[in-house]
Structures are given as C-alpha cells and as structure tokens.
Amino acid sequence: MSMRLRCDRTPAWGVLRQLFETRGRTLDLRQVFATDPGRFERLTLQAPHVFADLSKNLVDETLQAALTELARQCGVAAHRDALFSGQHVNSTEDRAAMHWLLRQPVADAQALPLPVQVELRQVHAVLDAMLAYAQAVREDVAITDVVNIGIGGSDLGPQMAVLALDEFADQGKRYHFVSSVDGHELSQVLRRVRPESTLFLVASKSFTTLETMTNARSAKAWFQAQGGRDIARHFCALTSNVQAAAEFGISTTFGFRDWVGGRYSMWSAIGLPIAIAIGPQHFRELLAGAHAMDAHFRIAPLERNLPVQLALLDLWHRNFHGFSSRSVAPYHSGLRRMQAYLQQLEMESNGKRVDETGQALPYATSPVIWGEPAANGQHAYFQMLHQGSDVIPVEFIAVKKVAHELPEHHLKLLANGLAQAQALMLGQADPGGHRHMPGNRPSTFLVLEELTPTSLGALIALYEHRVFVAGSLWGINSFDQWGVELGKVLAKAIEPRLESGDTTGLDASTAGLLKRLRS
C-alpha cells in the first residue's frame, strides 16, 4: 500500500487555513473577473470528452496552487498508482478496487502486473460472452420487454445509462427497472408485460440480496402463474453464485469478481441491460470513453488533472467554506437519473466519519448530492440557490449538440443554463431586500460535445476518480459501505415480529410503531 498522509496532517493544510482567512473568505468573483482577463483560460480544463469551466469557483491562482500542493503532500499520485496497479486500496475488506480494469483494452495487458493480466483476460472472456448474449436478445423479436431486477449499484448505473443513451437504444424493446421491495413497483411493471415476451435479469452478486431476491421470486411466481413455461429462456442472472442461480432455475449467468464494488459495476456484467439496449458496439464505446478518462487521470499532471482539481474544489467547499451540499443540474433530459446515480457513488463512498485507520475525523467529508434536471429545477429549488441563507455550489452539465429536430428548444435550454450560472455569480442589488440576490455563489460548468456512449463513459469515470481523490485527501476508504448493513440486519429481526406482534426487548418507539402498523 502506498504511503498516504491525511489532509489535516500536511503543512499545506495550515497554509490553506491561513490563505482562507486572508483571501479565500473574502474573494469576490465579480472583482476577480473584472481585474483578471485571463481567468477563464487559466481555470478551464479539457479532459477526454468533457470540458470544465472552474472559473466561477471561489479560488484564484494562489489558492488553486496551494490546493494542488495539498494533493501532492497527501500522496494522491502514489495512491492513484496503487489503485491502477491492483493493490488492495480497499483496506478494510483487504481487496483491490479494479473497476478501471473492466474498461481496459486487452491489447494493453503487457503494461500491467502479471496477476492483473490474468484478471484482465477473465474480464474480456465475460465481456465477450455477455455481449454475444446481448446481441442474441436484441435479435430475438419475440422478446419485447427487458426487466432488470436489482438494487443500488445493480440498478442506479444501468438505469441512468439506458435513459441517457435512449437515442442509441433498440426501439423495438422496452426497458424496465425494479429495485424497491415495495410491491407497487414490481406489480406496475408486471401489469405492462407478458410472460412469453419478457426477459428478466436478476442482478445480485451473491444472489441473496433481500430486495432483489424477493422481487425475483415474485416475478418467477407471476411468470409461472401466467402460464410461462421456460424459466431458463426468460430469466438470466448477473451473479457470482452460479449454484444458487441454477437452483432458482436459471442456466444463463454472467459473473464478476469481488474487486468490483456495486456502485462501480455498470462496466461489468451488471451492464447487461445497457448492452441489450444500445448493442455491443456502443457498449464497447462506453467502455472506451471511460478508459480515455482513466488514462487522463493516470498521466495528466495534478495541475491539469480534472478529477484531481474537482476533488480539491470539493474539499475547499466542504472543509473551508463549510458548504454542506452540492446541487447537480444537468441541462439534458437524458441525464435525469444522474443525481440518483451520483448520490450512491459519492455519498456511499465518502460518507464516512473515520479515517482509514478507524480514527474519528475532525472535519466533514461527503457533501449531500441533490438536484433535478435543471430546466425543471429552475422553477422549483433554484429560488433557494439564489436567495437562500445557505450557499450551495452548483454543478451544471450541458451538451453542445443534440439529436432531436427542435433546435430552438436547445438554444433556449443552453441560454437558461448559461444565465443561471451567471446569475448565481453576479447576483442583483435591491435596497428593498425582496429582490436582492447576493451573488458570488460558486458553480462549475461541464460541457459535453454530444451525449454519446463514449462521452457518457468519460463523464462517469470522471466522477468515479473525483470521488477517489476526495477520499484520498480525507484519508478515508472510499470502497467500503458498512453503514448500509446495520439497518439490513435489524430488518431481518423485525420482520418476524411484524407477523407475531412480539415487541419484547424493543425500544418504546419501535414497539409503538410496530403495534400501529399491525393494528
């Protein structure tokens, strides 16, 4: 494992605290733009398929240099190299985090350590088999509906990508996603499909996930009750537990290794619904876009490394300015599930209160990630962004070219995105108060040339690496999620009590609620 130094234990941390007091706290974006004609050019970055304008953030050249020095002193580059060499960067679970290997071309195998080369060959064997199956499903005109049953990383990434890449999808099929154990969700899907024309994908690495297996068993019961005859043809499992899938009646399975974390798994067999929707060639383009961003993250100097610079801004906002959330505002309806995906990616990864050694942290980590497609958000929560008492950094995502034939719509959409970012910065004076907007509110503006499999792959990989760098700076392990488990354990104990009514040993609130829900 590479040597890491927690951010607050570096000399750079003290320098930043001093700089925050002398210039960071009082920096006014309107003034710095007025006095620095080269600010935009200096504070923009072009990474593969993603252009980023960082100039409307509360930093200047001195502050950015000090933040970059913090990354250097924390050992971010060495930690990144450990990630890409297959070291066990997931220290609490003693395993690697090699989601990047899922998009590594097999032709590049020689540059990798020998054990990782072996893993890469296995990755491509599964990929080739999965894509062949996806193509067979695409060519099967009898299959009109594909239902993905998963939760967390087995749902959020695939659902987000299928919606985003609708332009590239096979329009002869419909795609459904079922995640919640709430029976309303599954029953609504089952009302729309027929057993003879539906393929169910059961996505669970262990084939034991409570929500997924409850839905899978109910889907199987429905299938059989409706006269379905061939479970092996109409059910496929994305799992490493081949035996459990076989006992369920599934013969077609695609697995993945334990170094693939759920929220990093859309590049693996979990991406099968994406591959069925957009086809094998476009799925490979999705991987290629992510790999291009991997290469940028690996080789770009820290000063011009987009994942690194975004993560440094996240730390600057969270730990110095005290901003507790970040609103993500995509100006493209295809990205309408982006915020839900990013909530898991960022908050499950970096929502930690102890460092890698288990010591309590003296500072905050992950911000709250939230938002909606921005055209709708403008008429809802943007009021708070402009005039609320909390300063909330905003991340705009715009797409330059679109596929539809309504160009005047896109001009209006882009004009709104540019105007909202400008308004957050400029504000508006009003002596009466009600129309006053303080301005000087930070934002980042990301631009994609087009929303394609390639650019989406690059964008998602950018976010993955940004989360890794932020976790590296904070000294935490971004790859475990123990906080998810406690509620699951307690739910198993409470479920039989809901049937029996036994409240022995429960706290008064849980006992009272249980009785009310049973009455």
Side-chain angles (χ1 to χ4, degrees), residues 385-402:
L385 298 180
H386 288 291
Q387 287 190 304
S389 54
D390 292 312
V391 176
I392 299 169
V394 182
E395 195 150 288
F396 296 88
I397 307 173
V399 179
K400 182 178 174 182
K401 301 175 187 175
V402 289

Side-chain angles (χ1 to χ4, degrees), residues 53-72:
D53 173 16
L54 311 181
S55 65
K56 288 199 281 292
N57 282 288
L58 299 172
V59 292
D60 58 18
E61 203 166 11
T62 300
L63 292 167
Q64 188 186 35
L67 285 164
T68 303
E69 180 59 25
L70 176 71
R72 199 168 280 116

Side-chain angles (χ1 to χ4, degrees), residues 273-301:
I274 309 172
I276 294 173
I278 67 175
Q281 180 55 41
H282 286 137
F283 190 83
R284 290 187 186 276
E285 291 169 9
L286 180 78
L287 300 180
H291 177 65
M293 188 61 72
D294 294 341
H296 167 80
F297 180 46
R298 291 179 77 162
I299 66 175

Side-chain angles (χ1 to χ4, degrees), residues 437-467:
M437 298 170 212
N440 204 39
R441 300 200 160 186
S443 67
T444 295
F445 210 107
L446 304 180
V447 180
L448 309 182
E449 192 73 13
E450 300 177 81
L451 184 56
T452 65
T454 307
S455 66
L456 182 67
L459 181 66
I460 297 304
L462 167 65
Y463 277 110
E464 288 180 347
H465 296 318
R466 169 192 192 161
V467 166

Side-chain angles (χ1 to χ4, degrees), residues 147-338:
V147 180
N148 188 80
I149 299 176
I151 196 165
S154 299
D155 168 79
L156 291 166
Q159 184 180 172
M160 176 272 297
V162 169
L163 288 171
L165 300 175
D166 177 71
E167 176 197 346
F168 299 87
D170 178 353
Q171 300 302 321
K173 301 188 193 304
R174 296 179 298 175
Y175 307 93
H176 313 269
F177 292 85
V178 175
S179 58
S180 175
V181 76
D182 182 346
H184 291 98
E185 193 168 271
L186 178 62
S187 64
Q188 285 174 9
V189 170
L190 295 180
R191 287 202 300 267
R192 301 183 196 130
V193 301
R194 297 173 301 163
E196 66 272 16
S197 58
T198 302
L199 172 66
F200 293 93
L201 307 178
V202 183
S204 170
K205 184 191 292 189
S206 64
F207 218 70
T208 60
T209 309
L210 181 143
E211 297 89 347
T212 299
M213 297 316 301
T214 300
N215 283 324
R217 285 189 291 269
S218 295
K220 178 183 175 182
W222 170 88
F223 178 81
Q224 293 173 320
Q226 295 293 316
R229 292 283 181 265
D230 190 351
I231 290 175
R233 166 172 157 72
H234 289 275
F235 284 77
C236 171
L238 313 176
T239 184
S240 298
N241 192 344
V242 176
Q243 181 179 344
E247 291 169 0
F248 186 93
I250 296 176
S251 56
T252 303
T253 62
F254 300 97
F256 45 103
R257 305 300 295 272
D258 65 1
W259 44 255
V260 183
R263 55 197 176 277
Y264 300 91
S265 65
M266 62 177 276
W267 323 99
S268 71
I270 291 297
L272 178 58
I274 309 172
I276 294 173
I278 67 175
Q281 180 55 41
H282 286 137
F283 190 83
R284 290 187 186 276
E285 291 169 9
L286 180 78
L287 300 180
H291 177 65
M293 188 61 72
D294 294 341
H296 167 80
F297 180 46
R298 291 179 77 162
I299 66 175
L302 298 181
E303 293 82 359
R304 304 298 295 172
N305 192 304
L306 186 53
V308 172
Q309 291 301 318
L310 286 173
L312 288 168
L313 283 172
D314 293 339
L315 177 143
W316 181 241
H317 288 158
R318 193 76 174 101
N319 301 130
F320 290 86
H321 286 280
F323 304 149
S324 60
S325 77
R326 183 171 81 249
S327 184
V328 179
Y331 278 77
H332 193 298
S333 66
L335 297 175
R336 60 190 177 275
R337 289 293 289 168
M338 175 65 76

Side-chain angles (χ1 to χ4, degrees), residues 405-437:
E405 302 298 324
L406 301 166
E408 69 278 11
H409 286 239
H410 195 53
L411 284 177
K412 287 179 171 60
L413 184 70
L414 292 179
N416 272 275
L418 291 171
Q420 291 294 332
Q422 184 185 38
L424 284 167
M425 177 181 73
L426 295 179
Q428 174 179 281
D430 174 30
H434 293 292
R435 297 172 187 265
H436 184 78
M437 298 170 212

